[in-house]
Amino acid sequence: MSYRVYRVEYQVAVPDPDMPSPRYHNVIFVETGADGSGISHQVVGDLVTGMSYQSERDEAPQTSGTFHARHYLGTINESDYPARMDEVLEELPPPGKQKSFNTQTMRTEQHKMPGVFYAPGEPRPPMIKCTEWTINQAIPALIESGVLRT
């Protein structure tokens, strides 16, 4: 027996002005219930405090007022779920602090490390949020580990 796995996008309440738009909150959703309910696996938090991994029981994504899209990824064996999936995802570093308040400009800005800000015009790496963690780290790690079968 296996469960279907999706990448689900939700509209965000307050977009980050420093990130390209439109942006959506991305989660990996494992459909475990006959009614479409299941478990959401995601990173939560923000760029000022850092993020952490969490999984939680969730209704069918389409029932949410902020639902945007659902993308089928593949399946996961019932015997691998949730232990193996959590094991793989908990090993991935969640996005850390990437912005802080700069008292010289009186703005929250991207930093190299807390207290060390980029100079005007200095190249900055792209910031990493839930979308980048989900698409570039979590999904490839699940496929590589054999937990997610595409």
Side-chain angles (χ1 to χ4, degrees), residues 5-11 24-31 36 39-42 58-64 66-73 130-131 134-135 139:
V5 181
Y6 300 90
R7 179 175 61 89
V8 179
E9 297 174 307
Y10 296 97
Q11 297 169 356
Y24 301 98
H25 178 65
N26 278 252
V27 307
I28 297 171
F29 181 77
V30 180
E31 188 177 82
I39 309 290
S40 289
H41 299 265
Q42 61 190 325
D58 214 343
E59 301 294 322
Q62 307 86 298
T63 64
S64 170
T66 61
F67 174 77
H68 175 72
R70 181 175 79 161
H71 310 276
Y72 180 75
L73 298 174
C130 64
T131 300
T134 301
I135 294 172
I139 294 169

Side-chain angles (χ1 to χ4, degrees), residues 20-125:
S21 289
R23 298 252 332 160
Y24 301 98
H25 178 65
N26 278 252
V27 307
I28 297 171
F29 181 77
V30 180
E31 188 177 82
T32 58
D35 60 353
S37 64
I39 309 290
S40 289
H41 299 265
Q42 61 190 325
V43 288
V44 295
D46 57 51
L47 298 180
V48 175
T49 60
M51 299 182 150
S52 60
Y53 169 72
Q54 80 172 28
S55 61
E56 64 184 358
R57 178 152 287 293
D58 214 343
E59 301 294 322
Q62 307 86 298
T63 64
S64 170
T66 61
F67 174 77
H68 175 72
R70 181 175 79 161
H71 310 276
Y72 180 75
L73 298 174
T75 61
I76 184 171
N77 283 331
E78 190 175 314
S79 61
D80 286 336
Y81 193 75
R84 281 280 296 129
M85 185 166 194
D86 280 334
E87 179 183 304
V88 170
L89 296 178
E90 287 171 351
E91 287 179 9
L92 299 175
K97 297 177 183 183
Q98 299 168 64
K99 294 170 78 174
S100 54
F101 188 74
N102 185 339
T103 55
Q104 293 186 335
T105 62
M106 300 305 284
R107 294 185 59 233
T108 300
E109 299 177 7
Q110 186 176 2
H111 57 69
K112 298 176 187 181
M113 56 193 302
V116 181
F117 294 94
Y118 290 94
E122 184 178 357
R124 300 164 190 216

